[in-house]
Amino acid sequence: THYCAFTSIYRQELVDHWIVRCAELEIPVTEGMTLTSVLADPFEIRQWNTDGLPRDQVSTENAILVTRGHRWPLMIDPQEQANRWIRNREAMNGLKVIKLTDGNFLRTLENCIRIGMPVLLEDLGESLDPSLEPVLLKQTFMQGGRMLIRLGDSDIEYDRNFRFYMTTKMSNPHYLPEVCIKVTIINFTVTKLGLEDQLLSEVVSLERPELEEQRNQLIVKINTDKNQLKAIEDRILKLLFESEGNILDNEDLINTLNDSKVTSGVITQRLKEAETTEEKISIAREKYRVVATRGSVMYFVIADMGQ
């Protein structure tokens, strides 16, 4: 909650402060701990990038906050990068895009809640319509074995697949505390350093596509292996549950345990390969840093000319 609205520099300071405080309290902390390493999956991040999420660190962290947050996200998005990402990400799920100025926005929202379709509320100002409060606070209740939510004067069925996103084009909105406690405010505003990282990723993928392709293949293989390992683990649990007598006599169980060991070894090896590839990419990236810096400076010089 405290992390979301800040820019990259403040976020890093916050994490550094948490790590120091944990050390003072003698709480074990993984060395080099980041939000991405703890909460994100490389395969999922790759999919986000395919859907249009910029490839810089802050955007990745923002995507984690959007997808993992307990409250619905309100994204400060003057460059509309978050808006494009959500549209692409949820297009296959029948995303409905609405504005508060739409005459039938509440009816559209009701229909989507009922059938479990995602909704993107865009072009928000500094206040929210009071009719959204039950949705933002997720004021659901059970009645007759069904999950319901009260909107306006009627109770409607609440599908658990429903997802709600909000974006604003305002670059520096001021939201009152009563708004902040109902949503997760996430700052997608592009900074000079953030744009530099985005441009750097683009340049490297164009100039050294073989490294990016190698990295993608490894990520896909690791994800496939992990899914296979999970299936094996589920099978082991099933066999243990159903086993009668001496488990050492259960040949099927012993073979499955061996498969698990082999697959774990393969994943460990591939993770090492992935780390090596990431190091190669990092070294290659830095050679193009000057290009990305120049591009970012040019963008912000031109953007500031309007002022």
Side-chain angles (χ1 to χ4, degrees):
T1 305
H2 298 299
Y3 194 88
C4 302
F6 291 123
T7 55
S8 57
I9 295 167
Y10 291 115
R11 286 180 178 183
Q12 189 56 54
E13 287 181 6
L14 202 56
V15 171
D16 292 343
H17 173 72
W18 290 338
I19 291 171
V20 169
R21 188 70 182 127
C22 284
E24 289 172 359
L25 297 171
E26 298 183 358
I27 299 170
V29 179
T30 305
E31 192 176 339
M33 188 276 294
T34 65
L35 188 79
T36 306
S37 62
V38 174
L39 291 177
D41 173 65
F43 187 81
E44 190 176 26
I45 293 172
R46 178 178 169 274
Q47 186 56 54
W48 292 340
N49 295 148
T50 303
D51 289 335
L53 182 76
R55 293 170 184 264
D56 62 299
Q57 183 64 30
V58 175
S59 296
T60 302
E61 291 173 357
N62 285 342
I64 293 168
L65 297 167
V66 168
T67 54
R68 305 284 192 271
H70 292 297
R71 298 194 290 250
W72 298 125
L74 194 169
M75 293 163 270
I76 300 169
D77 186 33
Q79 288 86 18
E80 299 192 76
Q81 291 187 336
N83 196 293
R84 283 193 295 273
W85 170 56
I86 294 297
R87 282 171 177 261
N88 292 333
R89 170 181 159 80
E90 296 287 9
M92 296 291 287
N93 300 318
L95 176 74
K96 294 292 181 188
V97 181
I98 59 173
K99 295 181 175 68
L100 287 177
T101 51
D102 295 345
N104 62 342
F105 93 91
L106 204 54
R107 180 168 295 178
T108 303
L109 187 60
E110 284 181 16
N111 290 337
C112 290
I113 290 171
R114 193 178 285 114
I115 60 178
M117 287 172 68
V119 173
L120 170 60
L121 175 59
E122 59 181 15
D123 294 349
L124 270 181
E126 291 187 333
S127 59
L128 293 172
D129 194 293
S131 60
L132 292 172
E133 185 156 315
V135 180
L136 298 178
L137 296 176
K138 300 183 182 179
Q139 292 175 335
T140 57
F141 58 95
M142 298 299 292
Q143 191 176 85
R146 296 187 306 157
M147 183 178 278
L148 303 174
I149 188 168
R150 187 163 188 82
L151 278 184
D153 298 327
S154 57
D155 296 337
I156 62 167
E157 196 153 350
Y158 189 96
D159 191 299
R160 292 177 188 274
N161 292 318
F162 169 73
R163 288 181 299 281
F164 190 46
Y165 308 94
M166 294 159 280
T167 60
T168 176
K169 290 180 186 174
M170 300 173 74
S171 58
N172 191 25
H174 176 65
Y175 289 107
L176 295 173
E178 56 260 35
V179 173
C180 297
I181 61 172
K182 295 171 189 171
V183 298
T184 301
I185 295 177
I186 303 172
N187 193 349
F188 268 88
T189 305
V190 176
T191 61
K192 182 177 170 296
L193 193 59
L195 182 58
E196 187 177 306
D197 281 347
Q198 291 179 29
L199 292 174
L200 192 54
S201 294
E202 294 297 326
V203 172
V204 174
S205 64
L206 286 168
E207 294 290 327
R208 299 293 299 277
E210 74 283 357
L211 284 177
E212 189 67 21
E213 181 58 28
Q214 187 182 349
R215 177 174 174 271
N216 279 336
Q217 287 175 0
L218 273 171
I219 289 171
V220 171
K221 285 176 183 174
I222 289 167
N223 189 66
T224 304
D225 291 339
K226 281 182 177 175
N227 288 337
Q228 186 184 340
L229 187 61
K230 187 178 184 306
I232 291 170
E233 287 169 351
D234 290 344
R235 179 163 172 73
I236 289 169
L237 288 173
K238 184 173 184 288
L239 289 168
L240 285 170
F241 181 74
E242 295 173 350
S243 180
E244 294 178 2
N246 191 343
I247 61 171
L248 295 176
D249 295 333
N250 189 330
E251 194 175 325
D252 194 7
L253 176 59
I254 301 300
N255 290 338
T256 308
L257 284 167
N258 285 332
D259 289 345
S260 175
K261 185 179 178 182
V262 170
T263 308
S264 294
V266 169
I267 289 176
T268 304
Q269 183 57 39
R270 284 203 173 131
L271 285 170
K272 286 179 182 174
E273 288 179 35
E275 285 175 14
T276 307
T277 305
E278 288 290 355
E279 284 175 19
K280 284 183 186 175
I281 291 174
S282 295
I283 293 166
R285 280 167 66 95
E286 290 310 309
K287 292 178 181 175
Y288 299 100
R289 173 74 63 177
V290 64
V291 181
T293 305
R294 184 179 297 178
S296 183
V297 168
M298 285 172 66
Y299 172 84
F300 280 98
V301 165
I302 293 168
D304 289 345
M305 279 182 180
Q307 299 174 16

